[in-house]
Amino acid sequence: MPLKIQSPAEVAAQALDTLKRFPLSVTCAMGSTIIAIISIDGASAELTWLLFAAISGVFVFAAAQLINERGGVFSSRPSIAPASAAVLLTVLWASGVEEAPAVRCIYALQACLAAYMALCVIPAPGRESDLDGWWHGLRLLEATVTAFFISAMVFIALSAGLAIFIFLFEVEGLGFTYFRLWIVCAALLAPWLALRLIPRPGEPPSGGRPYPQRLGIIARNLLVPIFTVYVLLLFAYSLKIAVFRDWPKGTLGTLIAAVATLGVGTWLALLPAAEKLEGLARLYHKNFFRTLIPLLLLQLMAISRRTGEYGWTERRVLLAVFALWMLGLCAYFILSRRPDCRMVPASLSALALTTLLGPLSATSIAVRSQISRLEATLTRVGWLKDGKLVSPPSSIEEEDRRAVEGALLFLTERRRQERLRRWLGPGLFGLSADQLSRRLGSSDIVSGQPLWLSACVDDPDAPVFISGFTYAWRFSAVNDHTRIPGTAGDLSLSTKKDALNISLAGRPPVTLSLKNLLDEVHSRTRSGEDDVTLPAKSMRLPLRISGHDIALHLTCLRMRRNASLHLESVEGLLLLK
């Protein structure tokens, strides 16, 4: 349905009408916009997760509103659906507060997917025709694309006006204004417009329009040939596996999932015109689900091989769930006498919601798998006996070392260190994989992986005597600079490998090696110290540059260990005279 705006008064009326129809969704859009703007200058993990939850709330509360508009038992009790949506969002937010950022993204994406797919199904309670659900889904997709296109155009227009204003009036300090404009357009204007375009109750599903011929032309002449080529390539690869008895590659599961998604979208796009299709398009639409079955079995075989070697991860769990879901759709559309296209979004919404939280979530399944894999490896090498930790073996095979390393890294990245407390005791939260390996009794398990180390002065509040110096500069960045009053240029500081480069007035930099400090921090970390502190004396470093005496008083330094030690950032006070 096109958006017709004739006057500013009509714009305001449409905006107010949308707010009245979807008050909670619009409120979530406003909240996400405000949080995103606040987060530009830095935000806590809790505030960032609140932003994800607010974005999810736009879709979830919209689905709740459509449930009320659908009628039935919810029409007499209109508070049930939004209250249930609020409870779901609260549980989602509470479950993700302590999670790692990657896990939070999975939660938010699944919640948005479940709600968006529900929006395709909820507005069509009756079955006046087999294509009601198809038209509802198409109009929702059109609303989404149209809203984001208009928002992008508004952003471009406002950005161009701002650029002209800055150029003409030579205004400085408005760099982040572009980002703020984009946030308003993407997080507030686009959802508001999309909600405005969602069909109202009682409207005919098709809006009185015939089947969109442009969609049919694109699907027949572009998407069907592309899908056919991809399928032929995958079948040729399957033949190679059978002939050479070579296991499928790890990326095969993702490729098949992408091809299957393209195929389902193309099949749905051609559904209203299925009886009039000819040639390749007709052959495709008739045999699509039968063709997909062997590829999905190949996908499950590839995933099985990878999980046997490395255990389950969220990606492998989601790919396996996708393959099983697609196999279920294949069985439904092949065996059903009167299949309903609404089964696609309905089943996907239910599946995304079921696997969102709790023991069936992708993260929970992956964590249990990695812990089982770790326990099996430790038991096999003699590190565990009767479920109890014993002295580590004198040597460990490289394959077993990688298995232990991978499991520890996975658990630390997901903040699940406490799941190992039955072997390592309490107080594990926040420990790195290297620290967990030292708790196990070895410091060489994760030696091949980058490790972040840090150290601070033992008394950061101790006074610093500045007598005799003319300038003091407190620096706290990887690369930092400042202008010294009375000099011919800037004083700059940067890190390079295990040293600091200090330059004054544009002259060649002087390199100050910190290798001894880094080696001391590294050795004390490997010996079991978690929080390394160094005496202030060892953190005071004098040097002379361009005729000026400089004294560095370092307070904190951070390094990365891989094959060697690399200084990443440093904080402290620089004195100059």
Side-chain angles (χ1 to χ4, degrees):
M1 180 179 66
L3 182 64
K4 299 178 180 179
I5 301 177
Q6 299 178 352
S7 66
E10 185 173 326
V11 173
Q14 291 174 348
L16 183 60
D17 181 68
T18 304
L19 177 60
K20 291 179 179 179
R21 186 185 178 195
F22 298 101
L24 296 178
S25 293
V26 174
T27 301
C28 286
M30 292 178 177
S32 63
T33 302
I34 295 173
I35 295 172
I37 292 176
I38 294 175
S39 302
I40 291 178
D41 298 325
S44 63
E46 292 77 9
L47 189 62
T48 304
W49 176 231
L50 185 61
L51 171 62
F52 282 115
I55 295 174
S56 304
V58 175
F59 300 94
V60 174
F61 282 121
Q65 175 61 27
L66 293 186
I67 290 176
N68 283 339
E69 294 178 352
R70 174 176 176 171
V73 65
F74 293 101
S75 60
S76 59
R77 297 180 178 179
S79 62
I80 294 179
S84 301
V87 170
L88 174 62
L89 289 172
T90 302
V91 173
L92 176 67
W93 181 83
S95 301
V97 168
E98 299 296 335
E99 294 287 0
V103 178
R104 293 175 178 174
C105 289
I106 294 175
Y107 285 173
L109 289 175
Q110 281 192 245
C112 292
L113 178 63
Y116 193 84
M117 291 296 104
L119 290 174
C120 298
V121 182
I122 294 171
R127 183 166 179 152
E128 299 175 2
S129 71
D130 292 340
L131 298 179
D132 283 354
W134 187 90
W135 278 107
H136 280 294
L138 178 64
R139 294 185 67 179
L140 181 63
L141 180 62
E142 287 179 342
T144 305
V145 174
T146 302
F148 277 94
F149 177 77
I150 293 175
S151 300
M153 293 301 100
V154 171
F155 168 72
I156 292 173
L158 293 177
S159 298
L162 179 62
I164 294 173
F165 173 78
I166 293 174
F167 174 75
L168 293 177
F169 294 93
E170 300 180 353
V171 180
E172 298 181 357
L174 297 180
F176 280 112
T177 304
Y178 294 100
F179 191 31
R180 294 186 178 95
L181 286 176
W182 170 246
I183 290 174
V184 172
C185 291
L188 180 59
L189 181 59
W192 206 317
L193 289 173
L195 294 170
R196 167 72 180 88
L197 296 173
I198 293 178
R200 288 182 173 275
E203 292 183 13
S206 63
R209 297 180 298 166
Y211 173 73
Q213 294 300 321
R214 292 181 182 178
L215 178 63
I217 292 173
I218 294 174
R220 291 194 307 270
N221 300 326
L222 181 62
L223 299 182
V224 170
I226 290 177
F227 175 82
T228 303
V229 171
Y230 288 167
V231 168
L232 291 176
L233 289 175
L234 290 174
F235 273 114
Y237 182 68
S238 303
L239 182 61
K240 174 192 172 185
I241 293 174
V243 172
F244 295 98
R245 297 181 180 181
D246 185 22
W247 281 95
K249 296 182 179 180
T251 56
L252 182 63
T254 304
L255 292 176
I256 294 177
V259 172
T261 302
L262 172 65
V264 170
T266 305
W267 188 88
L268 289 173
L270 293 172
L271 183 60
E275 297 180 357
K276 300 180 181 179
L277 294 176
E278 298 177 353
L280 180 61
R282 181 179 181 83
L283 182 66
Y284 159 81
H285 204 271
K286 184 177 180 180
N287 300 286
F288 166 70
F289 289 104
R290 293 182 178 87
T291 304
L292 209 56
I293 291 177
L295 296 180
L296 295 173
L297 295 177
L298 180 63
Q299 179 184 8
L300 290 174
M301 184 173 69
I303 295 172
S304 175
R305 173 63 185 271
R306 299 295 288 181
T307 55
E309 294 177 343
Y310 306 108
W312 289 96
T313 61
E314 291 94 345
R315 174 177 169 271
R316 294 172 193 139
V317 172
L318 294 176
L319 285 175
V321 170
F322 175 85
L324 294 175
W325 171 67
M326 284 300 305
L327 284 173
L329 285 183
C330 291
Y332 172 77
F333 282 101
I334 291 173
L335 301 177
S336 178
R337 295 183 178 180
R338 194 181 178 186
D340 190 339
C341 66
R342 288 179 297 180
M343 179 59 68
V344 176
S347 59
L348 183 56
S349 177
L351 187 64
L353 192 59
T354 302
T355 59
L356 177 59
L357 300 172
L360 294 180
S361 68
T363 299
S364 296
I365 294 174
V367 167
R368 291 196 298 269
S369 170
Q370 294 296 329
I371 291 177
S372 298
R373 178 167 169 256
L374 176 62
E375 183 176 12
T377 303
L378 294 178
T379 302
R380 183 173 62 254
V381 300
W383 218 323
L384 283 178
K385 288 185 179 180
D386 299 326
K388 296 182 179 180
L389 190 65
V390 297
S391 299
S394 56
S395 62
I396 183 173
E397 297 291 337
E398 179 62 21
E399 181 179 353
D400 294 328
R401 188 199 68 79
R402 287 200 302 266
V404 176
E405 173 190 55
L408 292 180
L409 289 171
F410 181 89
L411 294 174
T412 54
E413 290 170 359
R414 287 2 178 239
R415 300 177 182 176
R416 294 297 198 279
Q417 299 94 324
E418 289 293 337
R419 296 290 294 272
L420 303 179
R421 64 181 306 163
R422 54 175 170 161
W423 304 324
L424 306 181
L428 302 178
F429 185 79
L431 297 185
S432 66
D434 186 71
Q435 292 169 329
L436 291 177
S437 70
R438 285 188 272 113
R439 289 283 189 99
L440 287 171
S442 174
S443 59
D444 299 323
I445 293 298
V446 294
S447 57
Q449 294 291 329
L451 175 66
W452 294 98
L453 307 174
S454 62
C456 295
V457 68
D458 54 4
D459 187 6
D461 297 325
V464 176
F465 296 97
I466 60 174
S467 176
F469 292 94
T470 57
Y471 186 79
W473 172 40
R474 188 170 296 279
F475 55 89
S476 60
V478 177
N479 296 285
D480 205 350
H481 70 277
T482 186
R483 177 169 293 277
I484 306 295
T487 64
D490 290 349
L491 173 65
S492 63
L493 182 149
S494 63
T495 61
K496 184 177 181 181
K497 294 185 178 180
D498 58 359
L500 283 176
N501 284 341
I502 304 174
S503 176
L504 180 62
R507 294 184 176 87
V510 173
T511 300
L512 178 64
S513 175
L514 299 181
K515 186 177 185 304
N516 292 336
L517 275 178
L518 302 188
D519 288 341
E520 181 178 356
V521 174
H522 184 216
S523 63
R524 290 173 60 175
T525 303
R526 291 179 65 87
S527 66
E529 292 188 39
D530 295 335
D531 300 317
V532 177
T533 58
L534 297 173
K537 183 178 180 179
S538 65
M539 301 279 272
R540 296 172 185 164
L541 306 171
L543 71 153
R544 185 172 179 81
I545 176 173
S546 302
H548 296 274
D549 291 326
I550 292 179
L552 284 176
H553 295 258
L554 306 181
T555 55
C556 285
L557 52 87
R558 192 166 185 257
M559 70 193 76
R560 174 173 52 87
R561 188 199 74 189
N562 200 336
S564 59
L565 295 175
H566 292 265
L567 183 64
E568 292 294 325
S569 64
V570 62
E571 300 177 11
L573 180 68
L574 183 147
L575 302 177
L576 179 143
K577 67 177 178 179

